[in-house]
Amino acid sequence: LMTQHEFLKEIYKDFCIKHDMPKNEDDAYQSADDILYSYMYAEIDLTVYQKEWLENYIKLWEETNGGENI
């Protein structure tokens, strides 16, 4: 069985693949926070849907305490 944390990571990876989100130098996807930060400073473009999805994902992530103590 998958933990909530693992499930959220899978959902995030799927979203990043489908929406061609930016990656770090190590070829891993940037965090949702980093992507939104880049968007706020006009470094990348996001659709309204992508922005809202990332904001909601961050809320869910925080509610699960980032995978800690689950």
Side-chain angles (χ1 to χ4, degrees), residues 6-22:
E6 291 168 335
F7 183 66
L8 286 175
K9 286 171 64 176
E10 280 296 313
I11 290 171
Y12 183 70
K13 181 179 176 184
D14 184 60
F15 173 83
C16 288
I17 291 168
K18 288 179 180 176
H19 294 272
D20 197 27
M21 291 289 115

Side-chain angles (χ1 to χ4, degrees), residues 2-65:
M2 215 182 253
T3 66
Q4 283 181 316
H5 182 236
E6 291 168 335
F7 183 66
L8 286 175
K9 286 171 64 176
E10 280 296 313
I11 290 171
Y12 183 70
K13 181 179 176 184
D14 184 60
F15 173 83
C16 288
I17 291 168
K18 288 179 180 176
H19 294 272
D20 197 27
M21 291 289 115
K23 292 184 176 185
N24 294 317
E25 291 178 12
D26 65 357
D27 207 37
Y29 288 101
Q30 293 180 8
S31 71
D33 288 328
D34 287 345
I35 293 172
L36 282 177
Y37 180 84
S38 294
Y39 167 76
M40 287 175 25
Y41 290 95
E43 296 171 7
I44 63 169
D45 291 326
L46 294 175
T47 66
V48 171
Y49 171 79
Q50 291 168 332
K51 179 183 173 289
E52 290 176 354
W53 193 96
L54 290 166
E55 289 170 342
N56 288 324
Y57 178 83
I58 290 167
K59 289 177 190 173
L60 281 173
W61 183 264
E62 289 172 352
E63 287 179 15
T64 65
N65 197 21

